[in-house]
């Protein structure tokens, strides 16, 4: 087995803030979480605005969600919840402190397996803790040109779970793979919708060759994390090569320029003066663990394994089909209707590619349509190429397979039409035929092309070629 | 019509005249007041009273005027904590107890003056200036609910609501010669009470008699889902109003008669305890050995919590706002200009106590002391039904006397803060006078056993006449 030797001694640890945005209400109040299309400061109340005298009340469902996440990440769950105040001043933080978890996170000591540089690789999860999201600062135009800063507190008080890994990722690619896996798990658990803005934010701790770690803050995409890590590794390596010594610091990732910029050295870090939140009482959760375990769905790794054995598909296909719960469910529905192996190829290799290209969800495609396309192709009514064309047409313009086939005349033409085209082609191109018979293979391609042209592409190249060869054999039996 | 009166007396007046006339007479009296006990007076109270006259109301407080401490959120009515930093703040919501009082038909006369953010024992740290003690206008009314106690003593409201973090209901009740209860932690929802030290404070009623305290408790106590520390109880406080202390075992902790106690206070309290014996109770001296550490632990915990609670006042969303080129400058200036010196002192000390390197030495240690203080009470209550002590070691002191000496002010809380650390209930009621100044007897009970202390207080009141004395102008 190939072993990755990590030549630059790269260590990456991640801190990921995941919004539990599938909750109906915020972490400590009854405000709706469905604020993404709302006017600023309309999803607020005395509690999430931190008005004097308001008090937090813990959302029990949020605790259950967090427990699900912890258990899915193979963590131990704490005996009882305990919240702390993290004190710091910032205009988006309406109370002047954030309610978070400190020395008793809801979950700790877990692990996640990813497809690493050299096969399966374990990323240890240090802890996962619950906390509230602050509001959001907004500017009119660019931050430099804006006349002032506006604050939108709709986000304030949203439930977050912060997942902290050990520095177990050895390359930017592994970091990205981990994040993809994490998102996949979160969506399997139905606690998180990754498509919503700001749903997942990442801080990456990166070091090379045993040097100090540098923290790159607040990266908003998986691709961004990979890019930031690549840049940071290069920067640190060059810095060390020139005789520099990397120091603990916090940097900011400029997504547009693809570079990291220094924000502050660690010595300037705040003293957050953590202390137990006196307005919340501990909630005993240990007894609830067995109950929550029962509610856990089949997770990506298990599903991938099952797909291979149950449907006899390649690991590559099983992986592609299980990374997104929606795709996995879609596949299984299609597999009920048609040959599962054919369905695996069509969904994993073709449909997923077309969806990714358009950056749309599998929700946009009907299970019945996929099954029908597969049926058309396997019964020989249409070509594979036509199948792809139907998918593209549905995605771009809508419609259903049968009417698209009719409209576009995609039904494979009768063999006699092809026969006719072959006869005509050979008659019209005696020189090409002679060339081929003299051993010039390329001429056959020309003749195939001519047949295709005459059938207006309704025949596939394979059929045209076979029929041409048949005819030639008959013409010059040797 | 307005003046020193019980709820039942007011009810008679309302029946005789009208809620409107009663409320109007109080507003009239407040207008003529010389004690500076209100920060806001609700002129709209008249309309509310008219409404009750017109439509009728069958709530237990229909038409009864009440005053509310200025750190309790009242929808549409200024709520400033007697601080410049909350100048102009009009809350969009009612505190839990305000909802309950309104539902019961009470008429809010206004908001009462207090030490800024409830940090004090004299009501001198208010941005609106000190409230004067109705018994002697040279003296403080106690604090921090000085306004709430003074308005009851001066007949500017028959009953009022205060809050007690380390004695802030009982101290002014003692200094002003009225009755004040600090209930068991968790009895009354704190939703809407602007936090000073969350783990210590409770809202509490003040009145001229024990019976009114029970009436108010039956309205404002009870579970509220918006306060996670609130507790479900099925208590009926009115049931505690029984004139019978026979067989009651009273403990008298020696530590509460310590250094600096005024001899007149000591005598009055001992007289009261002996009177309980005459009424059929028995008493015995006892010890709460960790009392001497309670004060330090209390101030560390209270200030630590305060330093965090008061972080939200930054001029961004409400209240006073200063100027500045950027947010940090604006927020810093707002806080520099908006908070008074005592508030700043406590924020700084609390911030220090929670800082890395000092956290364990101060904050954590204080929490340990708190556990020990609580244990003292647990042990004592295995033997006794209640404990009796002086509420305050001295009668009301002179305005300005201790302003320059914060430590002396803190020391005045020595008999009240252990009760908040333990979370047990305690009531202060008049038990005598010295040089025309009232003296308060403190009766401390077990967790959620307000019944016993209300019963003791009621029996004492039924058999003595201290509570019938009024400040000179009231007579």
């Amino acid at each position: 087995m190939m072993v990755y030797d990590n030549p630059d001694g790269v260590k990456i640890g991640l801190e990921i803030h995941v919004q539990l945005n599938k909750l109906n209400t915020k972490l400590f109040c009854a405000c709706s979480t469905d604020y993404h299309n709302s006017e600023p400061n309309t999803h607020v109340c005395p509690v999430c605005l931190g008005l004097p005298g308001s008090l937090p009340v813990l959302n029990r469902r949020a605790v259950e969600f967090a427990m699900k996440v912890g258990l899915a990440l193979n963590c131990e769950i704490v005996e009882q919840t305990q919240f702390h105040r993290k004190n710091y001043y910032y205009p988006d933080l309406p109370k002047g402190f954030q309610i978070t978890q400190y020395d008793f996170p809801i979950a700790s000591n877990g692990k996640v397996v990813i497809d690493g540089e050299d096969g399966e690789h374990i990323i240890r999860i240090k802890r996962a803790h619950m906390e509230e999201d602050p509001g959001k600062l907004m500017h009119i135009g660019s931050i430099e040109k804006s006349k002032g800063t506006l604050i939108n507190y709709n986000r304030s008080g949203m439930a977050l779970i912060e997942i902290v890994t050990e520095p177990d990722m050895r390359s930017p690619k592994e970091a990205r793979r981990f994040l993809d896996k994490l998102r996949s798990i979160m969506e399997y658990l139905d606690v998180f919708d990754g498509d919503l803005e700001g749903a997942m934010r990442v801080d990456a701790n990166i070091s090379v060759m045993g040097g100090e770690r540098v923290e790159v803050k607040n990266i908003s995409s998986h691709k961004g994390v990979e890019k930031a890590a690549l840049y940071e590794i290069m920067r640190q390596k060059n810095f060390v090569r020139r005789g520099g010594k990397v120091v603990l610091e916090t940097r900011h990732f400029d997504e547009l320029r693809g570079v990291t910029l220094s924000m502050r050295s660690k010595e300037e870090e705040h003293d957050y003066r953590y202390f137990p939140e006196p307005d919340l009482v501990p909630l005993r959760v240990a007894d609830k663990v067995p109950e929550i375990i029962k509610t856990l769905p089949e997770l990506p790794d298990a599903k991938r394994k099952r797909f291979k054995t149950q449907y006899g598909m390649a690991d590559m296909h099983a992986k592609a089909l299980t990374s997104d719960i929606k795709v996995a469910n879609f596949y299984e529905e299609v597999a009920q209707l048609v040959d599962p192996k054919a369905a695996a190829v069509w969904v994993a290799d073709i449909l997923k590619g077309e969806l990714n290209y358009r950056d749309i969800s599998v929700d946009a495609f009907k299970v019945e349509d996929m099954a029908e396309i597969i049926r058309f192709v396997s019964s020989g009514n249409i070509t594979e190429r036509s199948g792809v064309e139907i998918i593209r047409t549905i995605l771009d313009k809508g419609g259903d397979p049968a009417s698209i086939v009719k409209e576009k005349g995609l039904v494979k033409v009768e063999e006699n039409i092809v026969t006719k085209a072959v006869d005509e082609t050979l008659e019209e191109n005696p020189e090409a035929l002679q060339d081929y018979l003299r051993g010039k293979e390329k001429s056959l391609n020309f003749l195939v092309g001519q047949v295709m042209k005459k059938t207006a592409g309704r025949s596939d190249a394979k059929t045209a070629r076979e029929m041409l060869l048949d005819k030639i054999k008959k013409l010059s039996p040797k | 019509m307005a003046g020193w009166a019980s709820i039942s007396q007011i009810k008679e007046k309302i029946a005789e005249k009208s809620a409107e006339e009663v409320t109007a007479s109080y507003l009239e009296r407040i207008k003529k007041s010389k004690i500076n006990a209100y920060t806001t007076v609700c002129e709209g109270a008249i309309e509310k009273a008219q409404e009750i006259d017109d439509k009728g109301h069958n709530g237990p407080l229909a038409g009864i005027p009440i005053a509310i401490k200025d750190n309790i959120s009242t929808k549409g009515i200024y709520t400033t904590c007697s601080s410049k930093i909350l100048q102009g703040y009009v809350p969009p919501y009612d505190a839990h107890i305000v909802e309950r009082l309104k539902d019961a038909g009470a008429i809010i006369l206004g908001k009462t003056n207090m030490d800024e953010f409830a940090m004090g024992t004299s009501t001198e740290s208010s941005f609106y200036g000190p409230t004067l003690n109705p018994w002697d206008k040279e003296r403080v009314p106690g604090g921090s609910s000085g306004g709430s106690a003074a308005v009851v003593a001066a007949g500017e409201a028959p009953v009022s609501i205060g809050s007690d973090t380390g004695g802030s209901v009982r101290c002014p009740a003692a200094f002003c010669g009225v009755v004040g209860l600090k209930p068991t932690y968790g009895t009354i929802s704190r939703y809407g009470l602007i936090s000073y030290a969350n783990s210590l404070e409770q809202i509490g009623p003040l009145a001229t008699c024990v019976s009114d305290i029970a009436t108010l408790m039956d309205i404002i106590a009870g579970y509220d889902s918006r306060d996670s520390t609130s507790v479900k109880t099925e208590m009926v406080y009115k049931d505690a109003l029984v004139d019978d202390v026979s067989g009651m075992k009273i403990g008298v902790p020696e530590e509460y008669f310590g250094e600096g106690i005024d001899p007149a206070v000591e005598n009055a309290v001992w007289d009261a305890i002996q009177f309980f014996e005459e009424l059929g109770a028995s008493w015995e001296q006892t010890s709460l050995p960790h009392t001497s550490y309670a004060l330090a632990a209390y101030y560390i915990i209270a200030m630590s919590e305060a330093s965090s609670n008061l972080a939200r006042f930054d001029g961004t969303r409400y209240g006073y706002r200063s100027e500045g080129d950027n947010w940090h400058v604006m927020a810093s200036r707002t806080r520099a200009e908006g908070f008074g010196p005592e508030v700043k002192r406590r924020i700084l000390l609390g911030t220090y106590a929670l800082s890395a390197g000092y956290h364990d030495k101060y904050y954590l240690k204080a929490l340990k002391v708190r556990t020990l203080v609580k244990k003292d009470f647990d042990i004592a209550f295995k033997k006794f039904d209640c404990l009796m002590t002086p509420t305050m070691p001295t009668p009301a002191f002179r305005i300005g006397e201790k302003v320059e000496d914060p430590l002396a002010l803190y020391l005045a809380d020595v008999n009240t803060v252990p009760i908040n650390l333990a979370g047990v209930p305690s009531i202060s009621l008049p038990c005598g006078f010295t040089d025309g100044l009232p003296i308060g007897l403190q009766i401390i009970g077990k967790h959620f056993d307000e019944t016993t202390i209300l019963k003791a207080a009621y029996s004492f009141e039924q058999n003595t006449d201290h509570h019938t004395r009024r400040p000179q102008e009231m007579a």
Side-chain angles (χ1 to χ4, degrees):
Chain A
M1 200 181 103
M2 183 188 76
V3 173
Y4 181 64
D5 65 355
N6 194 5
D8 298 321
V10 171
K11 279 187 186 176
I12 302 172
L14 301 175
E15 295 170 22
I16 308 108
H17 290 88
V18 184
Q19 242 185 18
L20 298 175
N21 52 19
K22 284 279 184 109
L23 288 167
N24 296 322
T25 56
K26 294 181 179 181
L27 185 53
F28 298 119
C29 64
C31 283
S32 149
T33 56
D34 184 21
Y35 61 82
H36 285 87
N37 297 312
S38 305
E39 288 289 303
N41 299 312
T42 53
H43 289 244
V44 292
C45 73
V47 177
C48 58
L49 279 177
L51 290 188
S54 66
L55 298 170
V57 176
L58 181 57
N59 180 339
R60 270 170 191 268
R61 232 162 92 81
V63 178
E64 288 169 16
F65 275 26
M67 288 172 76
K68 276 190 187 184
V69 172
L71 291 167
L73 302 180
N74 304 297
C75 290
E76 297 154 18
I77 301 296
V78 74
E79 286 278 315
Q80 54 181 29
T81 61
Q82 161 90 80
F83 285 87
H84 273 69
R85 288 186 182 180
K86 179 179 181 179
N87 295 286
Y88 66 96
Y89 290 96
Y90 209 66
D92 64 8
L93 196 65
K95 299 189 293 294
F97 58 83
Q98 180 190 33
I99 304 177
T100 180
Q101 294 190 306
Y102 184 52
D103 42 7
F104 294 99
I106 184 104
S108 53
N109 298 325
K111 63 170 187 188
V112 169
V113 180
I114 61 162
D115 289 313
E117 295 282 355
D118 47 5
E120 284 195 353
H121 182 63
I122 290 174
I123 308 298
R124 290 168 299 157
I125 305 295
K126 195 175 188 175
R127 56 184 282 157
H129 68 255
M130 305 176 70
E131 63 186 27
E132 56 179 341
D133 216 349
K136 196 172 184 332
L137 301 187
M138 303 172 97
H139 296 92
I140 297 169
S142 70
I143 201 165
E144 291 83 10
K145 283 186 184 156
S146 181
K147 272 189 183 166
T149 299
L150 302 167
I151 316 174
N152 182 356
Y153 290 106
N154 282 347
R155 195 179 74 179
S156 172
M158 285 290 286
L160 294 178
I161 185 154
E162 181 176 340
I163 295 154
V164 183
T165 77
E166 296 289 353
D168 290 346
M169 283 145 278
R170 300 163 297 175
S171 67
K173 193 167 85 186
E174 286 192 345
R176 182 160 178 191
R177 291 253 171 94
F178 173 80
L179 290 170
D180 289 345
K181 185 67 172 277
L182 184 66
R183 173 171 174 166
S184 160
I185 293 170
M186 292 290 176
E187 293 191 332
Y188 266 64
L189 295 172
D190 200 25
V191 299
F192 167 72
D193 178 354
D195 292 333
L196 293 175
E197 189 223 336
M200 200 188 254
R201 286 141 16 219
V202 183
D203 301 341
N205 287 290
I206 301 155
S207 71
V208 298
M209 293 173 285
E212 290 284 11
R213 70 192 155 83
V214 168
E215 184 177 26
V216 185
K217 278 248 176 231
N218 223 347
I219 317 171
S220 57
S221 71
H222 299 191
K223 216 182 274 179
V225 172
E226 192 177 15
K227 274 202 224 158
L230 278 169
Y231 176 85
E232 193 50 32
I233 290 164
M234 180 194 72
R235 187 191 68 83
Q236 290 184 28
K237 270 167 64 187
N238 288 338
F239 188 57
V240 172
R241 193 164 47 225
R242 292 196 308 268
K245 193 164 178 284
V246 177
V247 291
L248 275 179
E249 68 170 333
T250 303
R251 297 177 74 87
H252 153 79
F253 180 56
D254 184 332
E255 209 124 26
L256 280 177
R257 288 162 52 198
V259 299
T260 67
L261 304 162
S262 186
M263 281 166 74
R264 57 173 185 262
S265 75
K266 281 278 169 181
E267 286 82 65
E268 297 165 41
E269 288 277 89
H270 303 283
D271 174 0
Y272 290 117
R273 309 192 313 278
Y274 285 98
F275 76 102
E277 168 55 84
D279 289 330
L280 291 170
V281 290
L283 178 68
R284 203 180 149 71
V285 293
D287 314 332
K288 278 218 151 198
V289 170
E291 202 178 301
I292 301 283
I293 287 176
K294 271 187 220 154
T295 69
L296 286 183
E298 182 186 36
L299 292 168
D301 288 344
K303 205 181 279 284
R304 181 169 162 184
K305 222 170 172 182
R306 177 169 67 81
F307 275 21
K308 282 198 286 184
T309 51
Q310 185 177 340
Y311 302 113
M313 66 176 75
D315 183 56
M316 179 188 75
H317 285 149
K319 188 187 165 195
L321 289 174
T322 55
S323 68
D324 178 347
I325 181 70
K326 287 181 186 163
V327 173
N329 291 339
F330 180 88
Y331 165 75
E332 288 213 274
E333 284 183 57
V334 176
Q336 299 287 312
L337 304 172
V338 296
D339 173 36
K341 278 189 199 170
V345 174
W346 274 94
V347 178
D349 288 348
I350 299 165
L351 179 63
K352 237 190 127 184
E354 296 296 332
L355 292 170
N356 286 347
Y357 175 70
R358 288 167 181 77
D359 196 21
I360 49 179
S361 154
V362 73
D363 296 339
F365 213 81
K366 286 198 191 100
V367 168
E368 296 73 36
D369 289 354
M370 188 70 254
E372 192 159 6
I373 292 166
I374 296 169
R375 263 190 232 112
F376 281 166
V377 174
S378 48
S379 66
N381 280 338
I382 61 167
T383 63
E384 276 190 23
R385 223 178 88 191
S386 298
V388 175
E389 197 179 336
I390 297 168
I391 291 176
R392 289 180 180 158
T393 308
I394 291 175
L395 289 174
D396 295 335
K397 295 177 188 144
D400 62 276
S403 43
I404 293 170
V405 165
K406 211 182 261 173
E407 266 166 44
K408 299 207 166 192
L410 294 177
V411 176
K412 256 195 209 167
V413 286
E414 301 290 323
E415 285 203 6
N416 58 8
I417 296 178
V418 185
T419 314
K420 204 178 145 208
V422 167
D423 290 347
E424 278 175 23
T425 302
L426 291 176
E427 244 168 67
E428 287 164 18
N429 301 285
E431 283 168 24
L433 176 62
Q434 288 309 313
D435 284 350
Y436 173 71
L437 289 173
R438 277 197 293 271
K440 205 170 166 192
E441 286 287 325
K442 266 193 182 168
S443 298
L444 184 63
N445 293 342
F446 170 76
L447 292 169
V448 170
Q450 292 302 304
V451 174
M452 302 278 287
K453 208 169 172 185
K454 282 181 187 292
T455 59
R458 281 177 291 170
S459 155
D460 57 53
K462 201 174 140 216
T463 316
R465 192 183 178 90
E466 274 165 11
M467 291 184 72
L468 263 169
L469 285 172
D470 256 15
K471 187 77 187 178
I472 293 169
K473 221 182 260 173
K474 277 178 198 159
L475 286 175
S476 47
K478 264 183 218 166
Chain B
M1 211 182 302
W4 184 286
S6 67
I7 290 173
S8 54
Q9 287 167 332
I10 300 279
K11 278 188 176 168
E12 281 167 28
K13 282 184 198 162
I14 292 172
E16 204 179 295
K17 308 264 184 172
S18 68
E20 184 189 345
E21 278 171 88
V22 169
T23 297
S25 71
Y26 274 100
L27 290 175
E28 201 54 40
R29 190 173 176 92
I30 293 165
K31 240 175 231 165
K32 291 182 196 145
S33 172
K34 293 188 180 89
I35 58 171
N36 191 35
Y38 281 95
T39 56
T40 300
V41 178
C42 301
E43 296 295 340
I46 291 281
E47 283 151 43
K48 296 270 155 53
Q50 280 169 348
E51 221 180 283
I52 283 180
D53 288 333
D54 294 349
K55 294 183 190 159
H57 196 292
N58 51 18
L61 293 183
I64 306 293
I66 191 166
I68 312 260
K69 191 174 178 180
D70 204 22
N71 61 350
I72 293 170
S73 191
T74 42
K75 187 174 178 176
I77 304 171
Y78 290 128
T79 300
T80 73
C81 291
S82 290
S83 178
K84 181 179 175 183
I85 210 156
L86 272 173
Q87 232 180 354
Y89 171 60
V90 180
Y93 78 103
D94 272 332
H96 174 76
I97 64 128
V98 174
E99 286 175 359
R100 289 221 174 171
L101 289 167
K102 282 182 175 175
D103 287 349
I107 307 286
I108 298 172
L109 285 175
K111 304 299 287 288
T112 55
N113 201 13
M114 55 187 277
D115 279 298
E116 187 180 359
F117 282 102
M119 297 175 180
T121 311
S122 66
T123 313
E124 289 170 286
S125 68
S126 165
F127 174 64
Y128 302 101
T131 292
L132 315 182
N133 191 318
W135 295 87
D136 178 351
K137 295 197 188 62
E138 308 270 290
R139 292 179 187 265
V140 302
S144 65
S145 313
S148 293
V151 294
V152 173
E156 294 177 14
V159 287
S160 69
I161 300 292
S163 70
D164 189 314
T165 311
S168 284
V169 163
R170 292 159 289 155
C171 158
F175 281 6
C176 291
V178 299
V179 189
L181 173 71
K182 194 232 44 120
T184 308
Y185 188 78
T187 300
I188 299 176
S189 169
R190 290 181 293 115
Y191 189 77
L193 168 66
I194 300 178
S195 300
Y196 154 33
N198 331 44
S199 76
L200 297 160
E201 60 209 7
Q202 271 290 288
I203 287 170
L206 296 105
T208 58
C209 59
V210 178
S211 154
D212 285 358
I213 297 287
T215 302
L216 289 171
M217 284 301 287
D218 279 326
I219 292 156
I220 61 177
Y223 176 71
D224 172 21
S225 62
R226 293 168 299 183
D227 174 1
S228 310
T229 64
S230 102
V231 175
K232 289 187 173 104
T233 56
E234 301 291 323
M235 196 118 59
V236 178
Y237 295 88
K238 274 269 189 193
D239 291 351
L241 302 177
V242 182
D243 179 10
D244 179 13
V245 293
S246 52
M248 191 179 276
K249 283 181 240 152
I250 299 165
V252 184
E254 56 187 9
E255 290 83 0
Y256 286 67
F257 295 80
E259 204 185 320
I261 189 166
D262 184 289
V265 170
E266 191 170 6
N267 286 336
V269 170
W270 274 115
D271 286 350
I273 293 165
Q274 263 142 13
F275 187 67
F276 272 101
E277 194 174 22
E278 284 173 37
L279 294 176
S282 63
W283 63 266
E284 199 180 308
Q285 271 199 296
T286 186
S287 172
L288 301 172
H290 295 96
T291 303
S292 58
Y293 306 106
L295 197 71
Y298 165 81
Y299 273 102
I300 287 171
I301 293 169
M303 290 175 184
S304 297
E305 291 180 9
S307 72
S308 171
N309 289 328
L310 272 60
R312 71 190 66 195
F313 304 107
D314 58 16
T316 305
R317 289 159 297 272
Y318 43 77
Y320 175 74
R321 178 181 194 149
S322 188
E323 297 292 324
D325 289 342
N326 61 52
W327 183 81
H328 288 276
V329 172
M330 182 281 287
S332 300
R333 282 192 190 152
T334 296
R335 292 170 67 78
E337 295 159 17
F339 288 135
E342 183 56 30
V343 173
K344 283 181 195 163
R345 174 158 36 240
R346 296 196 190 195
I347 290 173
L348 286 172
L349 288 169
T351 302
Y352 179 79
L354 286 176
S355 297
Y358 300 99
H359 179 277
D360 293 5
K361 195 172 160 191
Y362 296 113
Y363 180 72
L364 217 59
K365 195 155 209 174
L367 291 185
K368 287 176 187 164
V369 171
R370 182 176 192 169
T371 307
L372 295 173
V373 169
K374 211 180 276 177
K375 215 176 267 171
D376 278 357
F377 282 99
D378 291 344
I379 293 168
F381 282 128
K382 278 188 187 138
K383 197 168 174 191
F384 302 107
D385 299 314
C386 64
L387 305 172
M388 291 192 189
T389 79
T391 308
M392 300 300 290
T394 66
F397 45 86
R398 286 181 190 284
I399 292 171
E401 190 181 323
K402 298 189 181 185
V403 174
E404 299 303 321
D405 187 358
L407 205 57
L409 259 180
Y410 298 171
L411 281 170
D413 298 339
V414 67
N415 283 1
T416 50
V417 297
I419 284 79
N420 299 76
L421 286 175
V424 292
S426 146
I427 193 168
S428 177
L429 71 160
C431 71
F433 288 84
T434 170
D435 295 333
L437 295 172
I439 295 168
L441 167 70
Q442 173 169 245
I443 311 176
I444 307 160
K446 297 173 197 173
H447 281 111
F448 301 107
D449 187 20
E450 275 81 355
T451 303
T452 299
I453 61 173
L454 284 172
K455 194 158 106 183
Y458 182 74
S459 303
F460 185 79
E461 194 182 77
Q462 290 299 303
N463 295 285
T464 57
D465 56 5
H466 307 291
H467 65 287
T468 59
R469 265 180 77 173
R470 291 143 170 67
Q472 209 123 68
E473 285 173 29
M474 312 287 312

